[in-house]
Amino acid sequence: MTKRTSAKYKLDRRMGENIWGRPKSPVNRREYGPGQHGQRRKAKISDFGLQLRAKQKLKGYYGDLTEKQFKRVYVEAARVKGDTGENLIGLLERRLDAVVYRAKFVPTVFAARQFVNHGHVTVNGNRVNIPSYRVKEGDVIEVREQSKQMAVLLEATQLAERDVPDYIEADHSKMKATFIRTPGLTDVPYAVVMEPNLVIEFYAQN
């Protein structure tokens, strides 16, 4: 098992939830956490614990971002006018690796980050290899011609476990997607309940 695969399985078990909705998640078989103390009875979680858990879940969902990366997105979300929680989700969904994942070009968020990193993607015809690159409404994201026959792409487009959300228009015959609009929390097809409001509370209080 690769380090990346083991990391995402560990995240699922630490949260006790199948956060990406994958059929192979270990949580589908056992709901307790990893490690020798994983089966101990769970104590009641404090408000701080709930907020921390909400932050770890959202941070983990987008490929287990570092605290520094995630905090930077939060600060920007708080600075922009409007609901901070909605802004936070919108900014995370505008990450290039998130768009590549949502468009079903690759099977996982982790694969999306690697795919972008290795230079397989263009935005409006220009090659971009930064996973955190922020797309804008109307941007066209396309897999480079020489990368279109990769097995990972063909496997991902056949995945029945998730659909392309309506804020992205994807054409799998051309391996091209258009980012139509910035989504709000209710638009995003999370497999589990995300609570950005608790993430905002966490940063506001700590």
Side-chain angles (χ1 to χ4, degrees):
M1 189 184 288
T2 67
K3 189 176 176 188
R4 208 172 65 247
T5 306
S6 114
K8 67 187 181 216
Y9 284 160
K10 204 167 180 182
L11 257 165
D12 271 1
R13 287 188 55 208
R14 192 169 73 213
M15 295 296 134
E17 291 179 89
N18 183 355
I19 66 175
W20 293 280
R22 289 186 321 273
K24 289 183 181 173
S25 172
V27 176
N28 298 343
R29 297 190 299 277
R30 50 189 177 193
E31 293 190 351
Y32 52 86
Q36 59 176 326
H37 304 299
Q39 293 185 63
R40 283 192 306 196
R41 187 180 298 168
K42 291 175 182 167
K44 188 175 182 299
I45 304 177
S46 65
D47 285 351
F48 171 79
L50 288 170
Q51 293 163 0
L52 179 63
R53 184 187 170 84
K55 176 179 75 93
Q56 286 173 330
K57 192 160 60 168
L58 196 59
K59 189 157 72 87
Y61 183 91
Y62 288 93
D64 213 9
L65 303 179
T66 65
E67 178 58 29
K68 191 176 175 184
Q69 286 173 318
F70 194 71
K71 179 87 181 276
R72 199 182 299 136
V73 180
Y74 159 75
V75 168
E76 192 169 343
R79 207 172 49 226
V80 183
K81 214 162 72 173
D83 182 282
T84 306
E86 292 286 331
N87 292 342
L88 179 65
I89 297 299
L91 289 171
L92 288 167
E93 283 293 308
R94 282 174 55 199
R95 285 177 59 96
L96 180 56
D97 55 0
V99 175
V100 166
Y101 170 65
R102 291 282 178 231
K104 281 180 75 172
F105 290 161
V106 290
T108 69
V109 178
F110 295 89
R113 181 189 294 174
Q114 193 176 34
F115 195 70
V116 174
N117 246 329
H118 290 180
H120 297 302
V121 176
T122 64
V123 179
N124 301 329
N126 300 311
R127 187 172 170 184
V128 179
N129 60 1
I130 301 161
S132 61
Y133 176 88
R134 198 164 291 153
V135 302
K136 297 188 289 294
E137 294 176 2
D139 278 357
V140 176
I141 296 89
E142 189 171 4
V143 176
R144 294 178 74 217
E145 200 57 49
Q146 55 267 54
S147 308
K148 285 183 179 176
Q149 294 310 312
M150 289 175 69
V152 68
L153 292 172
L154 306 174
E155 175 200 333
T157 54
Q158 306 303 317
L159 282 176
E161 65 199 57
R162 59 190 176 91
D163 297 316
V164 178
D166 64 4
Y167 50 90
I168 291 171
E169 203 172 80
D171 181 343
H172 289 141
S173 64
K174 294 179 180 170
M175 284 297 172
K176 183 187 282 192
T178 306
F179 188 73
I180 308 294
R181 61 183 174 83
T182 303
L185 176 61
T186 54
D187 300 315
V188 183
Y190 292 120
V192 295
V193 175
M194 291 294 181
E195 299 161 300
N197 55 313
L198 293 181
V199 178
I200 307 310
E201 285 174 21
F202 174 86
Y203 283 120
Q205 293 170 17
N206 297 288

